[in-house]
Amino acid sequence: MTGIPIVLRALHDGERGLERDLLAAADRHSVEHEFHHVATDISRWSREHAVRIARAAEPYGLDLPGPADHPEPGLPLATERDTVSEALGRWRAPGLLLLRDLRDLHLAATENSLNWEMLAQVAQATSDDGLLRLAADCHPETLRQMRWTNTMIKVLSPQLLASAL
């Protein structure tokens, strides 16, 4: 018995969660057209990853669900704003909500990246060419998700945080 099923399950759950979170954030920030469209587009990568992981997990005795037909949206924007407002002293700021969403998306993509790295390492150690190919195909897209969120944070945070003072 190896830890491969543990990594596959964590990775599958992480990719499904990232897809859901990207779509919810895209919906919350639909007025930010670039953000909305890019988040929607790159959510498809996580959806495809989850499908491929579920197929790869079958030989390991895992029956992982496919992607949700309609991922559940996140909390309505007003509810999110209220939650953030409480943390920020009752100040309503959609820009700060966007930054928080970007931070959370970046952390989720980073967790998935680490899981892809672990899967690649165990695949190499066990000479599992199928899992190694899967990681080699999918991990670069996860790294691109991370780079996008990081770039958006770098571009938006100076203006949004400076104006919040």
Side-chain angles (χ1 to χ4, degrees), residues 16 19 23 47 66-72:
R16 286 179 54 136
E19 177 198 12
L23 292 173
R47 183 181 189 85
D69 289 334
H70 304 285
E72 294 181 23

Side-chain angles (χ1 to χ4, degrees), residues 107-119:
L107 292 172
T110 300
E111 183 175 358
N112 288 347
S113 177
L114 292 171
N115 285 327
W116 280 119
E117 194 61 53
M118 288 189 289
L119 184 66

Side-chain angles (χ1 to χ4, degrees), residues 92-106:
R92 293 176 183 252
L96 294 179
L97 176 60
L98 177 59
L99 281 178
R100 193 199 72 191
D101 281 345
L102 283 165
R103 183 201 62 207
D104 292 346
L105 292 169
H106 185 76

Side-chain angles (χ1 to χ4, degrees), residues 3 16 18 20 29 32 43 48 59 67 74 88 97 100 104 106 113 124 132 137 147 156:
R16 286 179 54 136
L18 184 55
R20 183 186 58 248
H29 305 289
E32 299 290 337
S43 74
E48 292 166 10
L88 298 172
L97 176 60
R100 193 199 72 191
D104 292 346
H106 185 76
S113 177
Q124 197 168 29
L132 197 53
D137 290 348
R147 280 193 299 274
L156 296 174

Side-chain angles (χ1 to χ4, degrees), residues 49-99:
H49 296 173
V51 169
R52 292 185 66 183
I53 294 163
R55 276 196 302 258
E58 289 172 0
Y60 294 94
L62 293 176
D63 183 21
L64 300 175
D69 289 334
H70 304 285
E72 294 181 23
L75 294 173
L77 183 56
T79 305
E80 288 285 343
R81 279 190 190 153
D82 290 342
T83 303
V84 172
S85 294
E86 284 182 29
L88 298 172
R90 291 283 191 216
W91 191 61
R92 293 176 183 252
L96 294 179
L97 176 60
L98 177 59
L99 281 178

